[in-house]
Amino acid sequence: MRYIEEEGRTVEEALEKALEKAGIDRSEARFEVLSEGLGDEPARVRLYQDAEELDLIEGLIKEFLGILTSRVDVEIEPRKKGYYVNIHTRGYDSALIGRGGKTLEALEYLINLMLRRKKSNLQVELDISHYRERRKEFLKNKALAVARRVKETGKEMRIDPLTPEERRLVRDTLRKDRSIRVYLVGRGGEATLVVAPAKRSRSS
Amino acid sequence: MGDLKDLIEYIAKALVDNPDVVSVKEIPGEKTVIYELKVGEGDLGKIIGREGKTAKAIRTIISAAAMKKGKRAVLEILE
């Protein structure tokens, strides 16, 4: 049986955290109170998870990639929609990520296809040694740095071609900044984001 | 590169309605290895996918795995 444990000031708070993390609805929760949280002790709860989906995901990925490499580690985190699955393989990480994450995308697509044939609606976001998370962090920082530069110089700047998903991330990162605007030029594979001052510097 | 053959077979069997009739033939060459994937009647669409997306994904993975071994792999899909 799989479970996660969470701490909080009260049992209620610990349970909230665990439910959130596991993506489980309160009405379906099966949990144990490990500590009531009296005095200095934090409250602790253990929330049991539906092992079926987790076993299905882990089993398929290990069986599938186990054909290529002698070792595959699989970490699964529930998300609002589906699961975030981070894997680590012996010797195959960079080959399976590919240039710009292309192979990783193909792998994610195929794994989701295979999983959905076993259980409909099952969906995972696949990652390899946190490549996607690191890439997102890098892109956020880049977007912020470009925005700073645009504000300093008053000139617009391009951000190299990105995947549609990555463009969305850049837009979301800069959405709240009223002093700049972000727009798209070109189409398809050549589409590029441009970050520009919100008001033309000449007219201000 | 027997593991690539097994990999193709694994993917194909997981996607089709008739896994029992899936077969993969490996035709070795000096630099390029050709894999002939044969699936049952009516299952071709499952392997090709909408606008060829599934076939493209399989080829991407097979190429990446082959490249790691310093080879080139070509996948032919037959019914």
Side-chain angles (χ1 to χ4, degrees), chain A residues 6 9 18 58 64 71 105 168 177 192 195:
Chain A
E6 275 295 334
R9 272 171 298 152
E58 185 175 334
F64 175 35
R71 188 167 163 188
E105 260 173 56
R168 213 166 311 138
D177 194 337
T192 303
V195 181

Side-chain angles (χ1 to χ4, degrees), chain B:
Chain B
M1 298 203 290
D3 48 351
L4 278 190
K5 182 173 176 279
D6 292 345
L7 200 71
I8 295 165
E9 200 171 295
Y10 185 88
I11 298 168
K13 284 189 169 174
L15 296 180
V16 298
D17 290 331
N18 302 298
D20 296 345
V21 294
V22 166
S23 68
V24 184
K25 201 166 121 192
E26 186 180 79
I27 304 161
E30 201 154 304
K31 282 206 175 116
T32 305
V33 188
I34 299 168
Y35 292 94
E36 268 184 17
L37 167 63
K38 233 181 185 164
V39 297
E41 216 172 300
D43 272 337
L44 197 62
K46 296 247 161 53
I47 298 294
I48 305 289
R50 204 179 298 148
E51 292 174 22
K53 201 172 173 191
T54 307
K56 195 177 162 199
I58 300 171
R59 290 197 168 106
T60 301
I61 290 161
I62 299 307
S63 298
M67 206 144 64
K68 166 97 181 139
K69 297 168 194 293
K71 287 256 187 182
R72 252 172 53 88
V74 175
L75 177 67
E76 309 260 13
I77 303 164
L78 311 165
E79 191 174 34

Side-chain angles (χ1 to χ4, degrees), chain A residues 31-87:
Chain A
F31 65 96
E32 251 181 276
V33 177
L34 302 176
S35 157
E36 295 279 358
L38 302 172
D40 289 340
E41 280 265 303
R44 271 175 58 222
V45 298
R46 175 182 291 174
L47 177 69
Y48 291 95
Q49 296 177 281
D50 174 11
E52 188 208 344
E53 291 193 344
L54 300 173
D55 288 346
L56 203 63
I57 295 167
E58 185 175 334
L60 183 121
I61 292 174
K62 284 199 162 166
E63 201 178 30
F64 175 35
L65 296 179
I67 296 170
L68 275 183
T69 164
S70 58
R71 188 167 163 188
V72 187
D73 297 319
V74 182
E75 301 156 17
I76 307 173
E77 276 174 37
R79 288 284 156 92
K80 282 216 172 65
K81 214 175 128 201
Y83 297 89
Y84 169 78
V85 179
N86 182 54
I87 63 170

Side-chain angles (χ1 to χ4, degrees), chain A residues 146-157:
Chain A
V146 167
R148 261 199 309 278
R149 187 104 182 99
V150 167
K151 280 186 265 185
E152 274 166 25
T153 62
K155 285 182 187 156
E156 57 180 46
M157 275 177 79

